[in-house]
Amino acid sequence: MKPETPITIIVNGQDKPLPIGTKQISYDEVVTLAYPGQGDNGVNIIYTVSYSNGPEMNPKGNLVKGKVVLVREGMIFNVSRSDKS
């Protein structure tokens, strides 16, 4: 059996290595990778998360708050911030 290797996902154009053994990622984790330290500090900020190049079970789509998706090497996430005011 081959040893597990870390996988790297792409968030807003930047490589983000994930811990060895990571199989899925949550909405909150992706937002934190895209905007470190800026999570839910603004009540009027909405994050939109879309993804592509995912595994067969979830090849592309949108990730919403409270949900997770399975990840694979080279998966691409795009996170945008907007003010809902």
Side-chain angles (χ1 to χ4, degrees):
M1 189 168 125
K2 69 177 185 173
E4 287 196 59
T5 57
I7 63 170
T8 300
I9 61 172
I10 300 161
V11 180
N12 288 355
Q14 297 185 337
D15 289 355
K16 301 288 183 177
L18 298 177
I20 291 176
T22 301
K23 304 280 189 244
Q24 62 186 25
I25 194 164
S26 71
Y27 167 92
D28 289 329
E29 289 169 324
V30 175
V31 168
T32 299
L33 288 172
Y35 298 98
Q38 298 181 38
D40 284 335
N41 60 359
V43 292
N44 289 329
I45 303 296
I46 296 176
Y47 295 96
T48 303
V49 180
S50 61
Y51 62 89
S52 61
N53 199 31
E56 191 176 308
M57 295 69 68
N58 51 265
K60 64 180 179 176
N62 294 310
L63 182 56
V64 296
K65 190 161 183 67
K67 298 295 183 184
V68 299
V69 290
L70 299 173
V71 292
R72 73 179 196 108
E73 178 69 29
M75 193 167 177
I76 300 167
F77 290 87
N78 291 303
V79 184
S80 59
R81 260 168 59 139
S82 57
D83 192 325
K84 64 181 176 187
S85 61

